[in-house]
Amino acid sequence: MSSLRNGVKSAVESALVLGGGAEVSRRKRSRQLLILAYHNIVPADSEPTGDRSLHLTQRAFAEQLDALVTTHEVVSLDAALIPHRGNAHQTSRPRVAITFDDAYAGALTAGVTELRARALPATIFVTPAFLDGKAFWWDVLSTADSGLDDAFRERALTEARGLTDDVLALAHNSGLSAREMPAHARGASTDQLAAALDFDGITLAAHTWNHPNLTALADADLMSELARPLEWLKPYGDRALPMVSYPYGLADRRVMDASHDAGYTAGFMIEGGWTTPDPRDPFAIPRLNVPAGVSRDGFVLRAAGLIQG
């Protein structure tokens, strides 16, 4: 039954793409902006693991980039947020910016390899505490069969505030075991980060220091989580953007105001779809999360605005 549903879904997606629906939708959005949110890219010689929805294969990522360059104007994140005045933007193609959360090793190696091959810019939202090989709790606690239990995830984000050590302690007390992650599914090394920056299309931004649920933190801890990455970014000069993406996509007005007070110029969600180059609230900018299981045609339809989420 599952294979039948997948076949029907694939046929519908193909029909929408071939029938011109995606092109019509893109033209209607030619003055809008789409910011894509990725996580990890699995190198061609490796297998997906961890939270499967976050680990896109290198081949699929390459196919998506090839589709984007034929339908969108791919721009850097900082350029994307500069409003166009008058007749400065007269293309029928909508603009799109590419971002990655977490700074997985696979994203900074396999992902950057594909970006560099096409001279496409991207921004990496880095969580410095996870650099040099630390694994993310949602990966080590996911199972190959059923992923991560929804009820436990909710407890992890509330009781344990999304902090890895606290989440793993909660998992241990709940009888859950953690598994080892391969190198590509861990935080990138300092050397991998430096190598990625050899490509001048890569910029860095903040994803907090420890990847907590910011809405669950006391004020002092919240400010620390936001301020420390800005200090860490300073040595990267103009390759660093004073922007933050909120872990788990969780942010309320208090978090957004704290981000402004810490010195950021923009804050990003993990959902919400399309925006404009001059968003109404620069600290609640939506992005389109790209799930690892999406088909090529499904991606084309999402990037055209015909499928939300």
Side-chain angles (χ1 to χ4, degrees):
M1 194 65 179
S2 175
S3 60
L4 176 61
R5 284 197 300 269
N6 290 338
V8 171
K9 179 182 178 182
S10 178
V12 171
E13 289 175 345
S14 296
L16 285 171
V17 172
L18 294 174
E23 182 178 358
V24 171
S25 182
R26 283 193 300 269
R27 287 183 178 277
K28 290 180 179 179
R29 296 177 180 272
S30 63
R31 298 191 67 83
Q32 292 183 293
L33 168 66
L34 184 64
I35 303 173
L36 300 178
Y38 290 95
H39 290 81
N40 193 26
I41 304 300
V42 182
D45 59 353
S46 301
E47 293 294 325
T49 187
D51 182 343
R52 298 298 178 86
S53 68
L54 304 180
H55 299 269
L56 183 70
T57 66
Q58 185 172 353
R59 177 179 179 180
F61 183 56
E63 290 177 347
Q64 291 178 10
L65 295 181
D66 287 340
L68 275 181
V69 297
T70 66
T71 56
H72 292 66
E73 180 186 354
V74 184
V75 297
S76 64
L77 184 60
D78 51 339
L81 294 175
I82 299 174
H84 286 286
R85 305 300 182 191
N87 297 319
H89 184 52
Q90 291 296 321
T91 175
S92 61
R93 293 184 173 192
R95 293 190 300 166
V96 62
I98 298 168
T99 68
F100 293 86
D101 282 0
D102 305 322
Y104 276 99
L108 271 72
T109 54
V112 171
T113 293
E114 299 300 336
L115 292 165
R116 186 198 293 261
R118 296 161 180 81
L120 298 178
T123 296
I124 312 290
F125 287 101
V126 182
T127 310
F130 285 83
L131 291 175
D132 292 319
K134 187 171 181 179
F136 299 95
W137 65 262
W138 52 85
D139 286 323
V140 301
L141 296 176
S142 288
T143 65
D145 296 330
S146 57
L148 184 66
D149 178 72
D150 288 339
F152 180 81
R153 177 182 172 84
E154 180 64 23
R155 293 183 65 198
L157 294 178
T158 54
E159 295 177 37
R161 300 173 298 164
L163 291 163
T164 292
D165 291 344
D166 292 349
V167 173
L168 293 179
L170 179 64
H172 177 76
N173 293 335
S174 302
L176 301 177
S177 58
R179 55 182 177 142
E180 286 294 317
M181 287 293 108
H184 70 79
R186 294 172 172 266
S189 69
T190 305
D191 288 345
Q192 288 169 333
L193 182 63
L197 288 168
D198 282 343
F199 170 42
D200 60 12
I202 297 298
T203 52
L204 306 179
H207 196 41
T208 72
W209 191 265
N210 291 295
H211 207 287
N213 171 5
L214 293 174
T215 67
L217 299 184
D219 289 348
D221 293 333
L222 171 60
M223 288 306 297
S224 176
E225 281 291 338
L226 293 168
R228 290 181 70 188
L230 278 176
E231 288 298 315
W232 179 85
L233 285 167
K234 280 184 178 179
Y236 294 98
D238 60 4
R239 303 295 294 280
L241 307 178
M243 301 176 183
V244 61
S245 67
Y246 307 115
Y248 317 107
L250 296 174
D252 52 21
R253 195 69 255 168
R254 181 179 71 103
V255 169
M256 295 175 189
D257 289 345
S259 299
H260 172 272
D261 293 345
Y264 293 99
T265 60
F268 297 84
M269 312 304 289
I270 195 65
E271 58 186 14
W274 292 79
T275 184
T276 65
D278 190 12
R280 180 178 304 175
D281 186 345
F283 287 90
I285 300 175
R287 291 185 291 170
L288 178 69
N289 184 50
V290 183
V294 67
S295 68
R296 184 187 184 282
D297 285 339
F299 172 79
V300 170
L301 295 174
R302 284 169 171 81
L306 285 178
I307 295 179
Q308 302 298 320

